[in-house]
Amino acid sequence: GLYEVVKFGRASYRFNPKNGDQNYITLRTLKNKREVTYWGVNLAEEIEREQIKPGSVISFKKEGATAVKVPKLDRQGKQVGWTETHRNNWRIENQGQMGIKTKPFPKEIKLDSPEQLMKHKRSMMVFKQSKAAMLALKEQLKKG
Protein backbone atom coordinates (compact mmCIF):
# COMPACT_ATOMS: atom_id res chain seq x y z
CA GLY A 1 0.00 0.00 0.00
CA LEU A 2 0.88 3.66 -0.19
CA TYR A 3 1.35 5.90 2.82
CA GLU A 4 1.89 9.58 3.55
CA VAL A 5 4.81 10.36 5.87
CA VAL A 6 3.62 12.29 8.94
CA LYS A 7 6.91 12.50 10.85
CA PHE A 8 10.09 10.58 11.57
CA GLY A 9 13.11 10.79 13.82
CA ARG A 10 14.67 9.27 16.91
CA ALA A 11 12.91 8.98 20.26
CA SER A 12 12.48 6.69 23.25
CA TYR A 13 11.08 3.37 21.99
CA ARG A 14 7.27 3.59 21.91
CA PHE A 15 7.69 7.13 23.27
CA ASN A 16 8.30 5.70 26.76
CA PRO A 17 11.11 7.61 28.57
CA LYS A 18 12.19 4.38 30.33
CA ASN A 19 13.22 2.85 26.98
CA GLY A 20 16.33 3.61 24.94
CA ASP A 21 16.29 5.72 21.79
CA GLN A 22 15.24 4.16 18.49
CA ASN A 23 14.47 5.33 14.92
CA TYR A 24 10.79 5.67 14.06
CA ILE A 25 8.49 6.74 11.25
CA THR A 26 4.82 7.70 11.57
CA LEU A 27 2.71 7.02 8.49
CA ARG A 28 -0.87 7.83 7.50
CA THR A 29 -2.78 5.46 5.25
CA LEU A 30 -4.11 7.17 2.14
CA LYS A 31 -7.41 5.31 2.20
CA ASN A 32 -8.76 5.74 5.74
CA LYS A 33 -6.24 8.31 7.15
CA ARG A 34 -5.23 6.05 10.07
CA GLU A 35 -1.80 6.83 11.61
CA VAL A 36 0.66 4.10 12.57
CA THR A 37 4.21 4.36 13.97
CA TYR A 38 6.90 1.84 13.05
CA TRP A 39 10.25 1.39 14.81
CA GLY A 40 13.50 0.04 13.37
CA VAL A 41 17.26 0.40 13.26
CA ASN A 42 17.51 0.69 9.47
CA LEU A 43 14.76 3.32 9.10
CA ALA A 44 17.19 6.26 9.23
CA GLU A 45 19.27 4.80 6.38
CA GLU A 46 16.16 4.13 4.26
CA ILE A 47 14.77 7.64 4.90
CA GLU A 48 18.06 9.25 3.88
CA ARG A 49 18.54 7.03 0.81
CA GLU A 50 15.04 7.77 -0.52
CA GLN A 51 15.15 11.49 0.45
CA ILE A 52 11.95 11.26 2.50
CA LYS A 53 10.30 14.39 3.91
CA PRO A 54 7.06 14.85 5.86
CA GLY A 55 4.27 14.70 3.28
CA SER A 56 6.14 12.30 0.97
CA VAL A 57 4.08 9.44 -0.48
CA ILE A 58 5.91 6.15 -0.01
CA SER A 59 5.51 2.42 -0.25
CA PHE A 60 6.57 0.73 2.97
CA LYS A 61 7.07 -2.97 3.60
CA LYS A 62 8.85 -5.38 5.89
CA GLU A 63 11.52 -7.46 4.17
CA GLY A 64 12.17 -10.04 6.83
CA ALA A 65 13.94 -9.91 10.17
CA THR A 66 17.48 -10.44 11.46
CA ALA A 67 18.18 -12.43 14.64
CA VAL A 68 20.12 -10.40 17.24
CA LYS A 69 21.33 -10.89 20.80
CA VAL A 70 20.73 -8.05 23.25
CA PRO A 71 21.93 -7.70 26.85
CA LYS A 72 19.48 -8.98 29.47
CA LEU A 73 19.35 -6.62 32.48
CA ASP A 74 18.16 -7.17 36.03
CA ARG A 75 16.09 -4.63 38.02
CA GLN A 76 19.23 -2.70 39.01
CA GLY A 77 20.30 -2.36 35.36
CA LYS A 78 23.18 -4.87 35.56
CA GLN A 79 23.69 -7.29 32.70
CA VAL A 80 22.82 -10.86 33.68
CA GLY A 81 23.05 -12.54 30.29
CA TRP A 82 21.77 -12.27 26.75
CA THR A 83 18.33 -12.43 25.15
CA GLU A 84 17.73 -13.48 21.56
CA THR A 85 15.27 -11.36 19.61
CA HIS A 86 14.79 -10.11 16.06
CA ARG A 87 15.31 -6.83 14.23
CA ASN A 88 12.80 -5.94 11.49
CA ASN A 89 14.21 -4.95 8.10
CA TRP A 90 12.09 -2.24 6.47
CA ARG A 91 12.12 -1.18 2.80
CA ILE A 92 10.94 2.30 1.79
CA GLU A 93 10.41 3.54 -1.77
CA ASN A 94 9.69 7.22 -2.33
CA GLN A 95 6.94 7.30 -4.95
CA GLY A 96 7.81 10.93 -5.78
CA GLN A 97 11.22 9.72 -7.04
CA MET A 98 9.68 7.37 -9.62
CA GLY A 99 10.29 9.83 -12.48
CA ILE A 100 14.06 9.40 -12.24
CA LYS A 101 14.09 5.62 -12.42
CA THR A 102 15.86 4.23 -15.45
CA LYS A 103 13.85 3.13 -18.48
CA PRO A 104 13.90 -0.50 -19.58
CA PHE A 105 15.94 -1.36 -22.66
CA PRO A 106 14.01 -1.43 -25.91
CA LYS A 107 13.14 -4.90 -27.15
CA GLU A 108 14.05 -4.05 -30.71
CA ILE A 109 16.22 -1.45 -32.51
CA LYS A 110 15.86 -0.96 -36.25
CA LEU A 111 19.35 -0.33 -37.60
CA ASP A 112 18.11 0.59 -41.07
CA SER A 113 15.84 3.45 -39.96
CA PRO A 114 16.72 6.95 -41.24
CA GLU A 115 17.60 8.10 -37.69
CA GLN A 116 20.01 5.19 -37.15
CA LEU A 117 21.64 5.74 -40.57
CA MET A 118 22.21 9.45 -39.80
CA LYS A 119 23.60 8.58 -36.37
CA HIS A 120 26.01 6.07 -37.96
CA LYS A 121 27.09 8.62 -40.59
CA ARG A 122 27.83 11.24 -37.87
CA SER A 123 29.83 8.78 -35.77
CA MET A 124 31.89 7.73 -38.81
CA MET A 125 32.63 11.40 -39.60
CA VAL A 126 33.81 12.01 -36.00
CA PHE A 127 35.95 8.85 -36.15
CA LYS A 128 37.63 9.97 -39.41
CA GLN A 129 38.33 13.46 -37.99
CA SER A 130 39.87 11.96 -34.83
CA LYS A 131 41.98 9.57 -36.92
CA ALA A 132 43.27 12.43 -39.11
CA ALA A 133 44.13 14.53 -36.04
CA MET A 134 46.04 11.64 -34.43
CA LEU A 135 48.01 10.93 -37.62
CA ALA A 136 48.89 14.64 -37.97
CA LEU A 137 50.10 14.73 -34.36
CA LYS A 138 52.17 11.57 -34.93
CA GLU A 139 53.85 13.20 -37.98
CA GLN A 140 54.64 16.34 -35.96
CA LEU A 141 56.25 14.26 -33.23
CA LYS A 142 58.42 12.44 -35.79
CA LYS A 143 59.70 15.75 -37.17
CA GLY A 144 60.54 16.92 -33.71
Side-chain angles (χ1 to χ4, degrees), residues 18-82:
K18 293 180 182 179
N19 295 329
D21 284 351
Q22 184 65 262
N23 300 319
Y24 75 93
I25 188 167
T26 301
L27 305 174
R28 180 181 299 127
T29 60
L30 295 181
K31 188 174 182 179
N32 58 12
K33 307 296 184 194
R34 192 179 73 143
E35 289 188 10
V36 181
T37 300
Y38 295 94
W39 301 86
V41 172
N42 78 316
L43 285 176
E45 180 181 302
E46 288 289 305
I47 289 167
E48 184 178 337
R49 181 179 58 81
E50 289 292 315
Q51 301 173 357
I52 304 297
K53 295 175 178 56
S56 295
V57 175
I58 65 169
S59 65
F60 184 80
K61 64 182 176 179
K62 180 179 172 183
E63 287 195 349
T66 304
V68 293
K69 287 185 178 182
V70 295
K72 184 176 182 180
L73 306 176
D74 64 10
R75 292 187 185 262
Q76 289 75 36
K78 293 183 181 180
Q79 183 177 346
V80 292
W82 296 89

Side-chain angles (χ1 to χ4, degrees), residues 54-116:
S56 295
V57 175
I58 65 169
S59 65
F60 184 80
K61 64 182 176 179
K62 180 179 172 183
E63 287 195 349
T66 304
V68 293
K69 287 185 178 182
V70 295
K72 184 176 182 180
L73 306 176
D74 64 10
R75 292 187 185 262
Q76 289 75 36
K78 293 183 181 180
Q79 183 177 346
V80 292
W82 296 89
T83 302
E84 284 196 26
T85 186
H86 70 277
R87 176 180 295 157
N88 292 328
N89 299 317
W90 302 105
R91 177 69 63 205
I92 298 175
E93 289 183 13
N94 187 346
Q95 298 303 301
Q97 299 290 336
M98 299 235 352
I100 62 172
K101 303 284 187 207
T102 57
K103 295 180 186 176
F105 290 106
K107 293 184 179 182
E108 182 180 49
I109 298 175
K110 293 190 176 193
L111 297 176
D112 60 348
S113 70
E115 295 85 18
Q116 286 293 329

